[in-house]
Amino acid sequence: MLIHQHFLGGNISIKDISGDTIVLENELRDTKGDWFYWAFCVEGAENRTLTFQFQDNRLGYYGPAVSYDLENWHWLDCVEGDTFSYSFTEDEHKVYFAHHMLYHPARFFRFAQAHHLCVEELCKGYKGSSIPSVTIGDGPMSIILTARHHACESTGNYVLEGALEELLACPIPHTTVFCVPFVDYEGVLRGDQGKARLPFDHNRDYDSESDSIYPECRAIKAYADKNGCHFGIDFHSPWHIGDVNDHVFIVQNSIPKLPRFNQFGELLQSLMTPDALQYEHQYDYPPETGWNKSSTQFSVYMSKKEHNHLAFTIETTYFGTHENKVSQSNLIALGRCVARALRRTLSEASVSIPQ
Ligand SMILES: [Zn+2]
């Protein structure tokens, strides 16, 4: 039997194995403080029942997400505190377990190919690999969509995919949609937490006064400096679990723009379809409260661009609630609703288009 992290997104450390009980910890790597992401693979455990024991705050309401191919995920739906057990059938030679439903970059590349989207190189990443981006349309109005400023936050990628699908099926006139689906791409590949990466993480690398330390952020800033940003959405996942983290919420980042935030939130809620992970405007995070104090980040940088209508972070829960439980398909459906709200907002708002 082999328990390992040698795959795209892998992150685990084995602390102890005694009989059929395995004690595991996730690797924080260069993240400051505690974070909760992990993903591991078990091979050669056919016909065995194994118990996996974690630290606090590592398992969600439904136990681990389970996959055989790193692309299709389901919840185990069984968890006892910080422990879960799994009975491997005789056919289960290789099984992946993760904190939540991972989003494999191969899925995005397949999506792009199926929709005849050309994947281009944004820049070389901070470790030298090619950072992917896609562009839809060529109008003067600039929409910038990003995900994975924090490497582990994959629910945002599903929502982003749904938004792109909708924007491809029904484009917004006069717009260019510029999309960087994995900003910390190299962190995604390695299975890093990404959040609170030292000296600071990608979403803190948007100081308008100084140069970025990550080439990905520098390139996104340069794109916005050249083309503007009439609307920006940065797709994230929140903290592990509990309270507002069990919902979908927009982080409202400006008191003067609060009427626009409320208008967008009410509109998005009204456009929710039954197949979507449900969003409710009441969970939006008000500006200058709790942890939501203005800081250096993508959305703040973009909202300062001339003619910007809104730019924000949308946080999509890892697990949801029993009434509103996360699945791959309902995350994508949520993304379609976000794109429809975006289309309606841009067609109704008097957003200035540069000539
Ligand atoms: Zn985040």
Side-chain angles (χ1 to χ4, degrees):
M1 181 185 69
L2 187 63
I3 300 169
H4 67 88
Q5 60 172 351
H6 306 306
F7 59 93
L8 194 151
N11 180 316
I12 206 67
S13 172
I14 300 166
K15 292 294 151 192
D16 185 52
I17 300 182
S18 50
D20 291 329
T21 300
I22 297 115
V23 180
L24 299 168
E25 280 185 11
N26 64 336
E27 292 186 345
L28 293 172
R29 301 180 186 170
D30 59 355
T31 282
K32 185 182 170 208
D34 193 36
W35 213 248
F36 44 78
Y37 175 72
W38 54 268
F40 66 93
C41 179
V42 179
E43 294 188 60
E46 293 93 323
N47 297 314
R48 290 181 69 175
T49 296
L50 300 178
T51 297
F52 301 96
Q53 203 177 310
F54 278 88
Q55 311 125 277
D56 289 345
N57 289 323
R58 296 296 183 265
L59 288 168
Y61 297 125
Y62 317 116
V66 182
S67 175
Y68 303 109
D69 57 6
L70 285 176
E71 296 203 23
N72 297 287
W73 292 89
H74 64 274
W75 299 112
L76 179 61
D77 274 325
C78 189
V79 62
E80 284 182 41
D82 298 321
T83 296
F84 75 89
S85 296
Y86 193 84
S87 295
F88 295 81
T89 66
E90 60 180 349
D91 302 325
E92 290 181 316
H93 175 67
K94 185 191 277 192
V95 185
Y96 298 94
F97 301 94
H99 171 264
H100 55 268
M101 296 181 174
L102 310 190
Y103 186 101
H104 201 290
R107 180 185 171 113
F108 186 83
F109 297 132
R110 234 185 5 259
F111 170 85
Q113 194 172 30
H115 292 85
H116 310 292
L117 270 177
C118 180
V119 178
E120 294 177 291
E121 181 177 282
L122 171 72
C123 62
K124 294 289 184 208
Y126 61 110
K127 300 283 186 190
S129 55
S130 180
I131 307 303
S133 68
V134 294
T135 303
I136 303 170
D138 61 357
M141 193 154 23
S142 169
I143 298 170
I144 304 181
L145 306 179
T146 51
R148 306 296 272 272
H149 274 98
H150 298 138
C152 73
E153 299 179 0
S154 63
T155 53
N157 268 112
Y158 290 100
V159 185
L160 172 61
E161 182 189 306
L164 291 177
E165 186 185 289
E166 175 68 21
L167 293 172
L168 285 159
C170 191
I172 304 175
H174 314 299
T175 59
T176 301
V177 179
F178 176 65
C179 171
V180 182
F182 311 99
V183 177
D184 184 2
Y185 185 56
E186 292 166 333
V188 173
L189 302 182
R190 285 193 302 269
D192 288 353
Q193 310 293 330
K195 178 78 175 181
R197 186 192 290 290
L198 288 166
F200 49 79
D201 68 44
H202 282 65
N203 202 29
R204 297 286 171 272
D205 197 22
Y206 283 89
D207 194 319
S208 48
E209 304 298 319
S210 59
D211 193 17
S212 295
I213 61 169
Y214 301 111
E216 303 86 342
C217 302
R218 188 180 306 129
I220 293 169
K221 281 163 71 179
Y223 179 91
D225 294 348
K226 182 172 175 221
N227 300 286
C229 179
H230 294 85
F231 211 110
I233 306 181
D234 190 20
F235 296 86
H236 283 248
S237 315
W239 191 68
H240 170 55
I241 209 166
D243 300 325
V244 74
N245 304 297
D246 293 340
H247 302 281
V248 182
F249 60 100
I250 290 169
V251 184
Q252 302 174 328
N253 57 20
S254 158
I255 290 170
K257 284 188 175 178
L258 211 41
R260 287 183 183 179
F261 271 109
N262 290 331
Q263 208 171 19
F264 187 87
E266 284 162 17
L267 175 63
L268 178 55
Q269 183 174 328
S270 75
L271 293 173
M272 279 293 119
T273 51
D275 58 346
L277 184 78
Q278 297 297 298
Y279 155 87
E280 289 180 61
H281 173 49
Q282 61 165 321
Y283 295 113
D284 286 351
Y285 213 105
E288 301 302 327
T289 55
W291 48 258
N292 184 21
K293 303 283 165 58
S294 42
S295 64
T296 302
Q297 52 182 287
F298 168 90
S299 62
V300 171
Y301 186 87
M302 295 305 162
S303 60
K304 287 180 187 157
K305 290 282 144 204
E306 198 182 7
H307 306 307
N308 175 270
H309 186 76
L310 280 178
F312 57 76
T313 293
I314 183 166
E315 304 272 7
T316 301
T317 178
Y318 288 111
F319 315 112
T321 61
H322 282 285
E323 304 75 44
N324 192 32
K325 184 175 174 179
V326 164
S327 71
Q328 290 173 295
S329 63
N330 70 11
L331 292 173
I332 287 169
L334 167 63
R336 290 194 285 263
C337 299
V338 171
R340 287 177 200 132
L342 177 60
R343 179 187 304 119
R344 186 88 73 86
T345 299
L346 290 179
S347 62
E348 288 176 0
S350 52
V351 178
S352 308
I353 304 173
Q355 297 303 309

